[in-house]
Amino acid sequence: MTGPTLSEPAAAETGTALDRYRLLIDLEDRPGIVESVAGFLGRRGGNILDLDSHSTGEPPRFYMRAEFGVAAGSLDEEEFKREFAREIAPDLGVDCWELWPVARRKRVCVLVSKHGHCLTELLTRWHQGELPCDIDLVVSNHPDMATEAERFGVEYLHVPVEKGHKPEAEAKILERIGGGRYDLHVLARYMQILSPEFLAGAGAPIINIHHSLLPAFIGANPYSRARDRGVKIIGATAHYVTEDLDAGPIIEQDIVRVTHRLGVDEMVQAGRDIERTVLSRAVRWHLEDRVAVHGNSSLVFA
Amino acid sequence: MTGPTLSEPAAAETGTALDRYRLLIDLEDRPGIVESVAGFLGRRGGNILDLDSHSTGEPPRFYMRAEFGVAAGSLDEEEFKREFAREIAPDLGVDCWELWPVARRKRVCVLVSKHGHCLTELLTRWHQGELPCDIDLVVSNHPDMATEAERFGVEYLHVPVEKGHKPEAEAKILERIGGGRYDLHVLARYMQILSPEFLAGAGAPIINIHHSLLPAFIGANPYSRARDRGVKIIGATAHYVTEDLDAGPIIEQDIVRVTHRLGVDEMVQAGRDIERTVLSRAVRWHLEDRVAVHGNSSLVFA
Amino acid sequence: MTGPTLSEPAAAETGTALDRYRLLIDLEDRPGIVESVAGFLGRRGGNILDLDSHSTGEPPRFYMRAEFGVAAGSLDEEEFKREFAREIAPDLGVDCWELWPVARRKRVCVLVSKHGHCLTELLTRWHQGELPCDIDLVVSNHPDMATEAERFGVEYLHVPVEKGHKPEAEAKILERIGGGRYDLHVLARYMQILSPEFLAGAGAPIINIHHSLLPAFIGANPYSRARDRGVKIIGATAHYVTEDLDAGPIIEQDIVRVTHRLGVDEMVQAGRDIERTVLSRAVRWHLEDRVAVHGNSSLVFA
Amino acid sequence: MTGPTLSEPAAAETGTALDRYRLLIDLEDRPGIVESVAGFLGRRGGNILDLDSHSTGEPPRFYMRAEFGVAAGSLDEEEFKREFAREIAPDLGVDCWELWPVARRKRVCVLVSKHGHCLTELLTRWHQGELPCDIDLVVSNHPDMATEAERFGVEYLHVPVEKGHKPEAEAKILERIGGGRYDLHVLARYMQILSPEFLAGAGAPIINIHHSLLPAFIGANPYSRARDRGVKIIGATAHYVTEDLDAGPIIEQDIVRVTHRLGVDEMVQAGRDIERTVLSRAVRWHLEDRVAVHGNSSLVFA
C-alpha cells in the first residue's frame, strides 16, 4: 500500500517542470571537489538547489549533499552513474556516493514487539503523508499489534522467537525482508537483539529507537534506572544498528524534563512521546538522504 | 561584601508589612500532617502564601514547603522552634524540619580551579542582585582567578594542592570555611576530589557542577568522549556532593543540541553556557530552600 | 465507547484500597484556609496525598488543588458536598469549589473540520490509555474525518455549516452535545467561530488549539504570516474559548525552532506536531483537574 | 583594548599553515553559480572547507557562504576582489558579495541605557575570548553603566539625550562611532528610538535586542503585557534595526517557560537570561558572517 505524497515545497514553488535528484558523496578531503562535482552537474544541465557539505577533522574526510534539478525527463540515471564513475570518482578517489531521485519512495519495513506507540506514530505519519516512503509490512515476534497494522491496511507477519530457536526465526524473517527487498528497516521497539548474520543478510540500514539518552542507561529498564538515579531529564536515541548493542551511530536524540512528581509509569509515558518523536525524525531524515555515517557517528544535513 | 537585594515580587505586591518565613518539613507519611502544621501556623497568626508538598512512593515519605507571612516583628524564631519541637514534631514523628526567614541571606563560599566561567556567572548574578546570598570568599587551588574575584571585591584564598599533600591543603581550607561558617559551598569547576573528612568537616551542603548529563560520561573529559560517541545532545548536571564521585543527588540538569559541525573546542564552549546556567539555577533553588533530598535523589519545589 | 484506563501510578504504588478524590478551591485570600480545609478532610478520614496552592497578587485570590485518599467506599459524595457547603464555604467565603473522584472519567466530545492531525492524536492517545476520559462522539462541519473516527469506533456527526445558516447548524450541534451532556468539548482544529449563544448552551468548558504562539498572529493563516515576518520560532496555543476570538485563558503553549530552509508547507508540518502536542497536554491537564482560571489567565498545577 | 583570541577549532586541527577566508555571495538564482565560484577559488589554490547555500522561493535568490583555506600569505585580498569583480560578478550578475579573512576581528561598539545585563554578558564573553571582536567603546544616554565598562577596561561615552534635543545627541554619537569607524553596533538595551538619519550615518549594521518574542508585544513593557495575557512562554528577539520600530529582520529568538508562580519581577528576571543569551548568539553569528538578509527576514548559516 502506498501512502499519499507530501509534495516538497520548493518544487511546488518553482513552478517549472523539474526532476529533482540528491547526490551524496564522501571522500578523503582534497582540493577541487566542489568544483569538479558542480562542473559535472552543470554540463548535464543540472542546477544545484541546495548544497550542504562538511569537512571533518581527523581523519580529514569531506561529505557533501547536493540537491539539484534538471529539465523533466532529461537525466538518464544509468548513464549519469556510469559517467560519474568514469569522470569523477577515480579522479577524486570518491569511493562512496549515491544518486537518488527525490520522487522515488524508499521501501520500509517496520519491526515491533509489544509496545505499539512508535509503530502507530510511524504508520499515522505515513498515512497522513508526512513520511515519503512505502510501508507494506510489519514484522513482529508477538501477535499484539496485528490489528493496529490492519487498521492502516498493512500486512502483519508474526514470527515468534522461541527460546533457543532464534536463528530459525531470524532466517524466516530474512527470507521475507532480506537481501535488499527493502531500503530501510525500522525497529520500532523490537525487543530482540539481532545476530551479526541477520545484520549481514538484511541488505539495508536498520534504525533502532533506544529509550534512553545514550550512552546513559545502556541495556534494559532505562526508565526505572533513570528514576532511581534521580535524573531531571530523560530522553530517547535513534541510531543505526551495528553488532555492538546500543552502540551504533546516533542519528537523533531528544529529551523531556521530569520532576519528582512523576512515578515510573508516568516517566514511561513521557518517554514514549520522546521515543516516537525521535524515531520519526530519524526515519524522515534517512528517507530524505540527510544522514551520512562517519566512523561511529553521523552527520545530519538537516 | 553584601550584594544588593532583589526584593521578592509577592512581598512587593501585597503592600503590607509582613515578615515572610519558609518552613520545610519531611517525615514518614501519615494522615493529618497538613492539618497539624497549618493549625500550628494559624494559631501564631501565620498565613500560608504558598504551599507545595509531595508524597513519595516507596518508602512513603511526605515533603512539604510552606511560605507563610506574619505581621512584621510578631514572630520570635527561637520560641517558634521550641514550640514546634514540642507540639508538632513528636506527635507527627517529624525528624527533619527547618524554619528560615526569607530576609536572611545565606552565606556562600565558592571554590574554583582554573576555568572561571561558572565563577564569573555566579559573581555576576550575585552582583546584579539575582542571587539572594552573601559571597565574601573564593577559594582556589590555583592563582588564576584572583583578579576575577577582585573585580567583584571578593577575597581570594589561594591554597595550592601539592601532590601527596592534599590532606594538609584540605585542612587549611576547612580551617577557613568549615564548621558551619558558611551555609553553602559551591564547587564552580573545582577540579579536586574531596575526601570524606573534608565533607564531614564542611558543615554545610556542597553543590558541584559536572560537565555532562550524568550518569553519562562520569569522570574526566566528558566533552571529547561525547564527541567520540557522536551524541546529538550534551548537558550539565548540578548535584550535591557525596562520598561517591559524581553520584550525589541531582538538583538540576539541562542540555544543548550539538551537531557534526562542532569541534571539541566548540562543544566545550557550548557546554560552558549550560554549566553556568545549570549551576546558577541549582544554587538559586538551594538559596530559596526549594530543594529537598530524598535518598539519592532530590525534590525541587520550583 | 470507553477507552482503557491508565491507572495512576501513586495509587498502584500504595498498595492499599483507597478511593482518591480531587478537591479544587478558589476564594478571596484570607488566613486559615489551608487549616480549615485540611481539618475538614481530616475529620472524614481523608489523607492529603498531594497539595498544591497559589496565592495571586492583585486581586489577592487563593487557589488550592488537593488530591486526597479515603478508605474505599467510605466517602458519600453528596454528603461531603452538603457538609462542605455548610461548614467551610460560608465561613471562608468559598464561592467556587469542586470535588471530583479520580476514578470518574470525564465525557469528551471532539469537534474538527478538515485537518485531522489533532483529532488523530487525541483518539490515538485515548485509545492507548493515555487520556483518562470517554470519547464517544466527533462532530464536524465536513465529512472528511468520518473514516478516521470510524477507525477508532467513535460516532461521527456531520453537521454542515451553510453560509447564512450558522445558527441552525449550531442549534443542531447543541441539541446533541449541549446542556451538560459532556464535561468537555475540544476544538481540534474546528475552523468555525462559535456564537455567544453556542458558548452559553454548551454547558461545559471548550478547549481550542490555535496554530500560533498567541498573542502573535491572531486570526487566519498564522504560518504564512510567521514566515513572511521571518520568525525563528513558531508555536501553538491551547486555550479556553471565550467570546473574544483567540483571547481566552491560555492553558499551554509550546514551540519549535524553524530556519530559512523551511518553506511554508514544511512550517505547517512542523507546526502540526506542536499543535497536537500542546492540545493533548492541555486536554490531559484539564481531565486531571489541574487547570484553574484566574481572570483571563490560568494556573496550571502540573 | 583587544580581547584574547579563541582559535577556531578546525584551524587548530588541520595542523597546516592556512589562511582562512569567508566568501559570502547572494544573487538572483541561475544555473552554474557553485561551479563558477568553486572554479574561481580553485584556480587560486583555495580549498573549500565548509560550504552552505540556500535557494529561496519567491523571488528566487541564491545565497552561499563558503569558508576556504589558502596557503598562508598566498592570497592578495585586493587582487582577489578585483578579479572576482571582473571574472565572476558580471557573468553571474552577483551584485552583493563579501570576502572576509577569518583572522580579522570586527570592531564593535555597544550602546546601553540603564539595564546592564546584556552589556555585562557581551563584555564577559568578549573578555573570556568567546566573541571574536574588538570592543573599545560603550555609549550610553545614562551614567549608570560607566563603572561596569571600566571593570572591563573599556571607554564609556556618556551622551545624555535631553528632551527635544535628540538630534544633537545623535549627532554627537555619530561623530564618534559613525561613518564606518565600526563594523557593528549593538543596542544592548539602549532604550532610544533611532532616527533615519542616525541609521544612515551609522555606516554599519545595528543589532538590537527586543524583550519579547516578536511580533508579540511590540513596543513598551512586554513583560507586564505578557503576564496580563497569561502566556506560558516568554522570549526575546535579536534583529537588525531598520526604520520600522521592532520590525527589522530577525536574527535569533529564544524562549523560556513561565508559570503562574512568577510575578512580573520574576518574569523580568527570567526574561533577562533569555535576552542576554539571544543577543550573544546573534552577535556571534554576525561576527562569523553567518547571517544573510533576504528582504525582511534572515538566513542564518549556523
Side-chain angles (χ1 to χ4, degrees):
Chain A
M1 186 191 176
T2 301
T5 308
L6 185 82
S7 64
E8 299 224 346
E13 279 166 8
T14 53
T16 22
L18 276 186
D19 286 344
R20 293 166 73 100
Y21 289 83
R22 299 182 196 116
L23 180 64
L24 291 104
I25 293 179
D26 76 81
L27 73 170
E28 205 180 306
D29 203 354
R30 68 165 71 179
I33 304 166
V34 176
E35 181 188 9
S36 293
V37 174
F40 180 86
L41 294 179
R43 288 192 296 279
R44 272 143 200 88
N47 187 24
I48 294 177
L49 301 164
D50 209 37
L51 190 155
D52 208 340
S53 72
H54 184 66
S55 174
T56 64
E58 290 301 327
R61 205 161 169 85
F62 186 82
Y63 291 82
M64 186 174 123
R65 179 191 189 271
E67 199 158 318
F68 65 93
V70 293
S74 72
L75 187 148
D76 178 323
E77 227 178 300
E78 288 316 308
E79 190 184 309
F80 182 103
K81 287 179 177 174
R82 228 169 21 242
E83 290 173 1
F84 191 89
R86 198 177 54 218
E87 292 179 34
I88 300 293
D91 199 35
L92 294 172
V94 177
D95 42 13
C96 190
W97 59 277
E98 195 189 356
L99 177 75
W100 190 275
V102 169
R104 182 178 305 153
R105 301 161 73 85
K106 291 192 170 61
R107 298 157 302 164
V108 175
C109 166
V110 183
L111 294 90
V112 69
S113 290
K114 289 181 159 192
H115 295 291
H117 54 286
C118 286
L119 173 68
T120 297
E121 180 78 12
L122 291 175
L123 291 176
T124 299
R125 285 186 182 272
W126 166 73
H127 183 72
Q128 294 178 346
E130 294 179 8
L131 286 181
C133 64
D134 293 336
I135 302 183
D136 67 356
L137 184 66
V138 171
V139 175
S140 180
N141 54 334
H142 291 286
D144 308 53
M145 289 300 130
T147 53
E148 188 63 7
E150 203 178 290
R151 278 206 313 141
F152 290 91
V154 174
E155 188 189 341
Y156 191 78
L157 178 66
H158 176 210
V159 183
V161 181
E162 314 280 348
K163 208 168 173 177
H165 294 276
K166 193 161 168 174
E168 292 88 325
E170 285 196 340
K172 199 167 161 191
I173 297 173
L174 271 191
E175 199 180 336
R176 180 65 194 278
I177 73 171
R181 280 183 200 79
Y182 287 90
D183 297 307
L184 176 69
H185 302 116
V186 181
L187 309 185
R189 298 297 305 270
Y190 183 69
M191 311 306 275
Q192 291 283 326
I193 297 174
L194 301 173
S195 70
E197 292 71 33
F198 187 92
L199 300 187
I206 303 175
I207 295 179
N208 182 47
I209 180 74
H210 184 79
H211 42 322
S212 87
L213 208 63
L214 291 173
F217 307 118
I218 290 177
N221 298 323
Y223 293 124
S224 351
R225 288 154 64 208
R227 189 159 188 257
D228 288 349
R229 182 60 191 91
V231 299
K232 300 301 184 187
I233 278 172
I234 59 171
T237 304
H239 63 94
Y240 289 116
V241 175
T242 59
E243 296 193 15
D244 288 337
L245 183 64
D246 298 340
I250 293 171
I251 304 169
E252 172 62 342
Q253 303 186 296
D254 212 339
I255 61 111
V256 63
R257 297 185 73 89
V258 293
T259 74
H260 61 268
R261 296 193 186 280
L262 302 192
V264 173
D265 287 9
E266 288 167 304
M267 276 181 62
V268 167
Q269 183 167 332
R272 287 158 58 121
D273 285 3
I274 297 301
E275 292 167 37
R276 52 188 221 172
T277 302
V278 167
L279 181 59
S280 302
R281 231 183 268 151
V283 167
R284 186 162 54 80
W285 286 340
H286 181 91
L287 295 176
E288 296 173 353
D289 300 305
R290 297 187 182 280
V291 191
V293 171
H294 173 65
N296 199 43
S297 65
S298 79
L299 294 78
V300 178
F301 292 120
Chain B
M1 188 191 177
T2 299
T5 307
L6 184 83
S7 65
E8 297 224 349
E13 279 165 9
T14 54
T16 22
L18 279 185
D19 285 344
R20 294 165 71 99
Y21 290 83
R22 299 183 197 116
L23 180 64
L24 290 106
I25 293 180
D26 75 81
L27 74 167
E28 203 179 309
D29 203 353
R30 68 165 71 179
I33 304 165
V34 176
E35 181 188 7
S36 294
V37 174
F40 180 87
L41 294 180
R43 289 192 296 279
R44 273 144 199 88
N47 188 22
I48 294 178
L49 301 164
D50 209 39
L51 189 155
D52 209 341
S53 73
H54 184 67
S55 175
T56 63
E58 291 301 327
R61 208 165 167 82
F62 187 83
Y63 292 83
M64 189 175 120
R65 178 191 190 270
E67 199 158 319
F68 65 95
V70 293
S74 72
L75 188 148
D76 179 322
E77 226 177 302
E78 288 316 309
E79 191 183 309
F80 182 103
K81 287 179 178 174
R82 228 170 19 242
E83 291 173 359
F84 191 89
R86 196 177 55 221
E87 294 179 33
I88 299 294
D91 200 35
L92 294 173
V94 176
D95 42 11
C96 189
W97 60 276
E98 193 188 358
L99 178 76
W100 191 274
V102 169
R104 183 177 305 151
R105 302 161 72 85
K106 292 192 168 63
R107 298 156 301 163
V108 176
C109 164
V110 184
L111 293 91
V112 68
S113 290
K114 289 182 158 189
H115 294 291
H117 54 285
C118 287
L119 172 67
T120 297
E121 180 77 12
L122 292 174
L123 292 175
T124 299
R125 285 186 183 272
W126 164 73
H127 182 72
Q128 294 178 348
E130 295 179 9
L131 287 180
C133 65
D134 292 336
I135 301 181
D136 68 355
L137 184 66
V138 172
V139 176
S140 180
N141 54 333
H142 291 285
D144 308 53
M145 289 299 129
T147 52
E148 189 64 6
E150 201 178 293
R151 276 206 313 141
F152 290 90
V154 174
E155 186 188 342
Y156 192 80
L157 178 65
H158 176 209
V159 182
V161 181
E162 314 279 348
K163 210 170 173 174
H165 293 277
K166 193 162 171 173
E168 292 89 324
E170 285 195 342
K172 198 167 163 192
I173 297 173
L174 272 191
E175 198 180 337
R176 179 66 194 277
I177 74 171
R181 280 183 200 79
Y182 287 89
D183 298 305
L184 175 68
H185 302 116
V186 181
L187 308 186
R189 300 295 305 271
Y190 182 68
M191 311 307 275
Q192 291 282 327
I193 297 174
L194 301 174
S195 71
E197 292 71 34
F198 187 91
L199 300 186
I206 304 175
I207 295 179
N208 181 46
I209 181 75
H210 183 78
H211 43 324
S212 86
L213 208 62
L214 290 173
F217 308 117
I218 291 177
N221 297 322
Y223 293 123
S224 352
R225 287 155 63 209
R227 188 155 191 261
D228 288 349
R229 182 60 191 90
V231 300
K232 300 301 184 186
I233 279 172
I234 59 172
T237 304
H239 63 94
Y240 289 116
V241 176
T242 59
E243 296 194 15
D244 288 337
L245 181 65
D246 297 342
I250 292 171
I251 304 168
E252 172 63 341
Q253 302 186 296
D254 212 339
I255 60 110
V256 63
R257 296 185 73 90
V258 293
T259 73
H260 60 268
R261 296 193 187 283
L262 302 192
V264 172
D265 286 10
E266 288 166 304
M267 277 181 62
V268 167
Q269 182 167 334
R272 287 158 58 123
D273 285 4
I274 296 300
E275 292 167 36
R276 53 190 221 170
T277 302
V278 167
L279 182 59
S280 303
R281 232 183 266 152
V283 167
R284 185 161 55 80
W285 287 340
H286 182 93
L287 295 176
E288 296 173 355
D289 301 305
R290 297 187 182 279
V291 192
V293 171
H294 172 65
N296 199 44
S297 64
S298 79
L299 294 79
V300 179
F301 292 119
Chain C
M1 187 193 176
T2 300
T5 308
L6 184 83
S7 62
E8 297 224 346
E13 280 166 8
T14 53
T16 21
L18 277 185
D19 285 344
R20 294 166 72 99
Y21 290 83
R22 299 182 197 116
L23 181 64
L24 290 105
I25 293 179
D26 75 82
L27 72 170
E28 206 180 306
D29 203 354
R30 66 165 73 179
I33 303 165
V34 176
E35 181 188 10
S36 294
V37 174
F40 180 87
L41 294 180
R43 289 193 296 279
R44 274 143 198 87
N47 187 23
I48 293 177
L49 302 164
D50 209 39
L51 191 154
D52 209 340
S53 72
H54 184 68
S55 176
T56 64
E58 291 301 326
R61 207 165 167 81
F62 186 82
Y63 291 84
M64 188 175 121
R65 179 192 189 270
E67 198 158 319
F68 65 94
V70 293
S74 71
L75 188 148
D76 178 322
E77 225 177 303
E78 289 315 308
E79 191 184 309
F80 181 103
K81 287 179 177 175
R82 230 170 16 244
E83 292 173 0
F84 191 89
R86 197 178 55 219
E87 295 179 32
I88 300 294
D91 200 36
L92 293 173
V94 175
D95 43 12
C96 190
W97 59 275
E98 195 188 358
L99 178 75
W100 192 273
V102 170
R104 182 177 306 152
R105 302 161 73 83
K106 291 191 170 63
R107 298 157 300 164
V108 175
C109 165
V110 184
L111 292 90
V112 68
S113 290
K114 289 182 159 191
H115 294 291
H117 54 286
C118 286
L119 172 68
T120 297
E121 180 77 12
L122 292 174
L123 292 176
T124 299
R125 285 186 182 272
W126 166 72
H127 182 72
Q128 294 177 348
E130 294 178 10
L131 287 180
C133 64
D134 293 335
I135 302 182
D136 67 356
L137 184 66
V138 171
V139 175
S140 181
N141 54 333
H142 291 285
D144 308 53
M145 288 299 130
T147 53
E148 188 64 5
E150 202 179 291
R151 278 207 311 142
F152 290 91
V154 174
E155 188 189 340
Y156 192 79
L157 178 67
H158 176 208
V159 182
V161 182
E162 315 279 349
K163 208 168 173 176
H165 293 277
K166 194 162 169 174
E168 291 90 323
E170 286 195 342
K172 199 168 161 189
I173 298 174
L174 272 191
E175 199 181 335
R176 179 64 194 277
I177 72 172
R181 281 184 199 80
Y182 287 90
D183 298 306
L184 175 68
H185 302 117
V186 181
L187 308 186
R189 299 297 303 271
Y190 183 69
M191 310 307 275
Q192 290 283 327
I193 297 174
L194 301 174
S195 70
E197 292 71 34
F198 186 91
L199 300 186
I206 304 175
I207 295 179
N208 181 47
I209 180 74
H210 184 77
H211 43 322
S212 86
L213 208 63
L214 291 173
F217 307 118
I218 291 177
N221 299 321
Y223 293 124
S224 350
R225 286 154 64 209
R227 188 157 191 260
D228 288 349
R229 182 59 190 90
V231 300
K232 301 301 184 186
I233 279 173
I234 60 172
T237 304
H239 63 95
Y240 289 115
V241 176
T242 60
E243 296 194 16
D244 287 338
L245 181 66
D246 298 340
I250 293 172
I251 305 169
E252 171 63 342
Q253 302 185 296
D254 212 340
I255 60 112
V256 63
R257 298 184 71 89
V258 292
T259 73
H260 60 269
R261 296 192 187 283
L262 302 191
V264 172
D265 286 9
E266 289 166 303
M267 276 181 63
V268 168
Q269 182 167 332
R272 288 158 57 121
D273 286 3
I274 296 302
E275 292 166 36
R276 52 189 222 171
T277 302
V278 166
L279 181 59
S280 302
R281 231 183 267 151
V283 168
R284 185 161 56 79
W285 287 340
H286 181 91
L287 295 177
E288 297 172 355
D289 300 306
R290 297 186 181 280
V291 192
V293 170
H294 172 65
N296 200 42
S297 65
S298 79
L299 294 77
V300 179
F301 292 120
Chain D
M1 187 193 177
T2 300
T5 307
L6 184 82
S7 64
E8 297 222 349
E13 278 166 8
T14 53
T16 22
L18 278 185
D19 285 345
R20 293 166 72 99
Y21 289 83
R22 300 184 197 114
L23 180 65
L24 290 105
I25 293 179
D26 74 83
L27 74 170
E28 203 180 308
D29 203 354
R30 66 165 73 179
I33 304 166
V34 177
E35 181 188 9
S36 292
V37 174
F40 181 86
L41 294 179
R43 287 192 297 279
R44 272 144 200 88
N47 187 23
I48 294 177
L49 301 163
D50 209 37
L51 189 155
D52 209 340
S53 72
H54 184 66
S55 174
T56 64
E58 291 299 328
R61 207 165 165 82
F62 187 84
Y63 291 83
M64 189 175 120
R65 179 192 189 268
E67 199 158 318
F68 65 93
V70 293
S74 73
L75 188 149
D76 179 323
E77 227 176 302
E78 289 315 309
E79 190 184 310
F80 181 103
K81 287 177 176 175
R82 228 169 19 241
E83 290 173 359
F84 190 89
R86 197 176 56 219
E87 293 179 34
I88 300 293
D91 200 34
L92 294 172
V94 177
D95 44 13
C96 189
W97 59 275
E98 194 188 357
L99 178 76
W100 191 275
V102 170
R104 182 178 306 153
R105 302 161 72 83
K106 291 193 169 61
R107 298 156 301 165
V108 175
C109 165
V110 184
L111 293 91
V112 69
S113 290
K114 288 182 158 190
H115 294 292
H117 53 285
C118 287
L119 173 68
T120 298
E121 180 78 12
L122 292 174
L123 292 175
T124 300
R125 286 187 183 271
W126 165 72
H127 183 71
Q128 294 177 350
E130 295 179 8
L131 287 180
C133 64
D134 293 336
I135 302 181
D136 68 356
L137 182 66
V138 172
V139 175
S140 181
N141 54 333
H142 292 284
D144 308 54
M145 290 299 129
T147 53
E148 189 64 7
E150 202 179 292
R151 277 207 311 141
F152 290 90
V154 174
E155 185 187 344
Y156 192 80
L157 177 66
H158 176 208
V159 183
V161 181
E162 314 280 347
K163 210 166 172 178
H165 294 276
K166 194 160 168 175
E168 292 87 326
E170 286 195 341
K172 199 168 162 192
I173 298 174
L174 272 191
E175 199 182 336
R176 179 65 193 278
I177 73 171
R181 279 183 200 80
Y182 287 90
D183 298 305
L184 175 69
H185 302 116
V186 181
L187 308 185
R189 300 295 304 271
Y190 182 69
M191 310 307 275
Q192 290 283 327
I193 297 174
L194 301 173
S195 70
E197 292 70 36
F198 186 91
L199 301 186
I206 304 175
I207 294 179
N208 182 47
I209 181 75
H210 184 77
H211 43 323
S212 87
L213 208 62
L214 290 174
F217 306 118
I218 291 177
N221 299 321
Y223 293 123
S224 354
R225 287 155 64 207
R227 188 158 188 260
D228 288 349
R229 181 60 191 91
V231 300
K232 301 301 182 185
I233 279 172
I234 58 171
T237 304
H239 63 94
Y240 289 115
V241 176
T242 59
E243 296 193 14
D244 288 338
L245 182 65
D246 298 339
I250 293 172
I251 304 169
E252 172 63 341
Q253 302 185 297
D254 212 339
I255 60 110
V256 63
R257 295 185 74 89
V258 294
T259 74
H260 60 268
R261 296 192 187 282
L262 303 192
V264 172
D265 286 9
E266 289 166 304
M267 276 181 64
V268 167
Q269 183 167 333
R272 288 158 57 123
D273 285 3
I274 296 301
E275 291 166 36
R276 52 189 223 174
T277 302
V278 166
L279 181 59
S280 302
R281 229 183 268 150
V283 167
R284 185 161 55 80
W285 286 341
H286 181 92
L287 294 177
E288 296 172 354
D289 300 305
R290 297 186 182 280
V291 191
V293 171
H294 172 66
N296 200 43
S297 65
S298 79
L299 293 78
V300 178
F301 292 119

